[in-house]
């Protein structure tokens, strides 16, 4: 089903209300998502991106039912990841020989994924595709935002930026536009998307946004590949990205832990309380790594100045949920954040040192020597936790 965005641009994608995990099992999508494909009709017609492969037949059938399948002149593949390109094999079986506009790296990725030698037309930054009737697409390469093949395209004549994964969110919405959804929910999903997917490329985000802004192109809408279309104050999400890319921090800290018999939980709660006592205005959140959604947890780390990480010693190491969080943090490459380690033990006590090594390896500055307590903390031990929290809060500047 096509939905009009303007008189000459329509949405042709799929809203996936049932989606709960993405990137395999790596990313949680509590509110579903959408795979946004766009049809641009001038004297010639361009289709910008497709949908994920489970919806390929439905996608092609909808184009045929709408009477536009045979009128498509060009396919633009801004990104080769299967949630964008999954319907390409079925579409190109229906329309063999259709020109596919993508970057050179896009050709590599698409051939590597589908093993088809389609009619690739390689484009680079500044290349244009004239659609007639005053419409033209200008291509802008955006490598590593967030794959090597990524590009944006700008539609002159309508002043629309098709931004691919940038400025998107995993949020199912049948009404399409940012001014038709709950704004708090929208921006929570947008910051989660940035924190978990784009953080490693923040320096490139800043450069690419500034490059595009320097062109002084009028932007009436931003149409990403997932979630809502930004039509009301569309540059607001661009401003948010510039903030998030600049080593973003709120006045917040998060205590992340796992526990076996609640000793480490009691430590975590004491540390969190000590931080609140020292800085009453600061938000302090306490999250169990084994029970919290890992992507929501990482979003809280992204927002924080500091993270305290705790685990009991288990098999001369740490609990697997804590190890997984440390690995997520390492891979995302957070900058200018502080950390500290804590944990309980019975007889060997290696966990705190291992967590400190993990935090250092993830680029966190250790803000206080680690705290380890044997067995269940008593009154004296809990006072040490409070003091540890106060010291950590005091070292945040």
């Amino acid at each position: 089903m096509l939905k009009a965005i303007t008189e000459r641009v329509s949405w042709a994608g799929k809203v996936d209300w049932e989606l709960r995990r993405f990137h395999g099992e790596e990313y949680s999508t509590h509110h579903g998502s959408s795979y946004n494909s766009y049809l641009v009709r001038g004297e010639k017609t361009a289709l910008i991106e497709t949908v994920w492969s489970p919806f390929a037949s439905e996608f092609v059938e909808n184009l045929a039912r709408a009477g536009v399948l045979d009128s498509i002149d060009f396919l633009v593949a801004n990104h080769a990841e299967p949630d964008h390109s999954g319907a390409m094999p079925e579409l190109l079986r229906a329309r063999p020989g259709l020109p596919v506009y993508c970057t050179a790296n896009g050709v590599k990725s698409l051939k590597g994924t589908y093993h088809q030698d389609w009619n690739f037309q390689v484009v680079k930054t500044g290349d244009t595709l004239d659609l007639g009737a005053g419409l033209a697409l200008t291509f802008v390469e955006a490598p590593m935002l967030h794959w090597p093949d990524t590009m944006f395209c700008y539609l002159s004549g309508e002043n629309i930026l098709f931004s691919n994964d940038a400025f998107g969110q995993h949020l199912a919405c049948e009404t399409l536009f940012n001014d038709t959804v709950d704004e708090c929910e929208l921006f929570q999903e947008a910051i989660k998307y940035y924190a978990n997917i784009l953080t490693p490329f923040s320096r490139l985000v800043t450069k690419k946004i500034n490059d595009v802004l320097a062109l002084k192109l009028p932007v009436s809408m931003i149409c990403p590949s997932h979630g809502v279309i930004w039509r009301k104050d569309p540059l607001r999400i661009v401003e948010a990205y510039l903030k998030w890319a600049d080593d973003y921090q709120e006045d917040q800290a998060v205590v992340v832990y796992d526990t076996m018999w609640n000793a480490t939980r009691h430590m975590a709660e004491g540390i969190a309380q000590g931080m609140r006592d020292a800085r009453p205005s600061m938000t302090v959140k306490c999250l169990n790594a084994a029970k919290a959604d890992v992507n929501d947890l990482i979003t809280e780390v992204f927002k924080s100045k500091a993270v305290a990480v705790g685990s009991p010693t288990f098999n001369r190491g740490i609990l697997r949920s804590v190890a997984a969080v440390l690995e997520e943090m390492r891979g995302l490459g957070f900058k200018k954040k502080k950390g500290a380690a804590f944990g309980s033990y019975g007889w060997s006590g290696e966990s705190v040192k291992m967590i400190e090594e993990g935090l250092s390896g993830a680029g966190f500055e250790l803000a206080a020597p680690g705290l380890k307590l044997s067995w269940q903390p008593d009154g004296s031990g809990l006072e040490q936790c409070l003091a540890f929290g106060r010291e950590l809060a005091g070292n945040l500047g």
Side-chain angles (χ1 to χ4, degrees), residues 23-159:
H23 283 162
E25 295 295 314
E26 287 299 305
Y27 189 103
S28 59
T29 52
H30 306 312
H31 304 290
S33 191
S34 64
Y35 318 107
N36 297 337
S37 172
Y38 302 98
L39 194 73
V40 182
R41 286 177 276 194
E43 294 168 1
K44 298 284 188 177
T45 298
L47 181 68
I48 300 174
E49 306 203 284
T50 68
V51 300
W52 192 25
S53 53
F55 306 104
S57 294
E58 179 183 339
F59 175 72
V60 175
E61 288 168 7
N62 284 342
L63 292 172
R65 191 176 298 115
V68 298
L69 178 61
D70 292 334
S71 67
I72 297 169
D73 297 291
F74 314 108
L75 174 60
V76 176
N78 278 342
H79 186 21
E81 203 169 1
D83 53 307
H84 301 243
S85 64
M88 286 179 63
E90 185 139 352
L91 175 67
L92 292 169
R93 279 194 293 271
R95 291 293 315 281
L98 189 68
V100 178
Y101 287 74
C102 62
T103 64
N105 278 320
V107 175
K108 293 178 183 177
S109 295
L110 289 166
K111 283 187 174 181
T113 301
Y114 301 109
H115 309 288
Q116 298 291 321
D117 192 18
W118 290 320
N119 180 14
F120 293 109
Q121 304 295 313
V122 174
V123 295
K124 59 186 183 300
T125 297
D127 288 348
T128 61
L129 179 60
D130 188 359
L131 302 179
L135 298 179
L137 287 168
T138 300
F139 301 104
V140 180
E141 294 169 279
M144 298 316 300
L145 295 181
H146 62 121
W147 273 29
D149 67 287
T150 298
M151 71 175 181
F152 307 157
C153 54
Y154 175 81
L155 180 62
S156 55
E158 294 282 0
N159 303 337

Side-chain angles (χ1 to χ4, degrees), residues 301-324:
V301 172
F302 175 75
K303 291 159 60 177
S304 295
K305 294 180 176 180
V307 55
V309 179
S311 171
T313 296
F314 178 70
N315 290 340
R316 302 186 302 278
I318 59 179
L319 294 179
R320 60 178 177 264
S321 67
V322 175

Side-chain angles (χ1 to χ4, degrees), residues 165-225:
D165 279 330
F167 314 126
Q169 343 78 44
H170 287 302
L171 181 64
C173 170
E174 293 285 357
T175 52
L176 293 183
F177 300 105
N178 66 306
D179 53 330
T180 66
V181 300
D182 181 278
E183 188 172 272
C184 292
E185 185 175 79
L186 170 58
F187 272 88
Q188 179 58 34
E189 289 301 323
I191 195 172
K192 175 180 175 178
Y193 192 92
Y194 188 96
N196 284 273
I197 295 177
L198 289 166
T199 293
F201 315 112
S202 286
R203 298 297 178 266
L204 297 173
V205 169
T206 302
K207 182 180 185 304
K208 184 54 59 178
I209 288 176
N210 286 331
D211 286 348
V212 173
L213 291 177
L215 299 175
K216 299 187 184 302
L217 298 170
V219 177
S220 299
M221 288 188 199
I222 296 175
C223 293
S225 295

